[in-house]
Amino acid sequence: EEYVGSESSFEEFRQIRKDRRDSKVHGQGGLGGAAKPWEFGECSSRMSKRGLIRLHANDNLGVKTSVWVQPSDTILKLKALIGKKLKLDPTQLLLMKSDRVFKDQVSIADYEIHDGLSLELHYKKLPPLST
């Protein structure tokens, strides 16, 4: 699982991954080896206890991504994290849910976005190339 989120919670994320890896080495984490999809729930619950929420962004081309954010983060920061993960310019991204376009300066908590919510990811039209 790749971490993309705020800098302040990066160390917490690393510690959770280390704890999970150590428990596998000592026989407490199932079969050992790479993390199984069903084992991510433990990491999710620990991150949620630290105030982070996981949001999913899906576009109509089949691109799906997830990021960990704080509810106090703005939509612009969320777009920056998604853009960093997808290697896209955040200014060219639109986040929507049910035909509601989220504004950059408003916080995630103000929109009452909760953990596990899937947002629609759209791309702004680029200006035509000048010849």
Side-chain angles (χ1 to χ4, degrees):
E1 181 175 341
E2 180 181 344
Y3 174 80
V4 176
S6 60
E7 292 291 326
S8 62
S9 56
F10 180 69
E11 289 301 320
E12 295 172 3
F13 179 80
R14 284 184 50 191
Q15 185 61 41
I16 291 169
R17 296 265 324 238
K18 182 181 179 301
D19 292 346
R20 186 171 55 186
R21 189 171 41 247
D22 290 346
S23 68
K24 288 181 188 172
V25 170
H26 298 297
Q28 301 168 358
L31 301 174
K36 311 297 184 287
W38 57 85
E39 293 174 340
F40 288 129
E42 179 184 343
C43 182
S44 296
S45 64
R46 286 185 187 177
M47 295 298 270
S48 295
K49 288 178 185 175
R50 289 180 168 88
L52 296 174
I53 59 173
R54 186 176 200 168
L55 299 178
H56 308 280
N58 306 321
D59 73 356
N60 56 355
L61 301 173
V63 176
K64 298 178 182 181
T65 188
S66 304
V67 293
W68 289 97
V69 294
Q70 304 243 353
S72 59
D73 291 343
T74 62
I75 297 296
L76 183 61
K77 185 167 183 178
L78 174 60
K79 286 163 93 175
L81 294 171
I82 293 170
K84 180 179 177 184
K85 193 165 186 181
L86 297 177
K87 297 180 176 82
L88 296 170
D89 181 15
T91 61
Q92 297 301 318
L93 300 177
L94 280 175
L95 289 174
M96 299 176 64
K97 184 68 176 177
S98 302
D99 297 328
R100 182 180 189 184
V101 178
F102 296 124
K103 297 180 181 177
D104 289 345
Q105 66 274 15
V106 181
S107 75
I108 293 168
D110 290 341
Y111 279 119
E112 298 179 2
I113 297 174
H114 55 83
D115 189 32
L117 188 69
S118 292
L119 303 173
E120 302 165 21
L121 179 62
H122 296 273
Y123 307 101
K124 294 180 183 177
K125 292 183 180 179
L126 298 174
L129 296 173
S130 60
T131 55

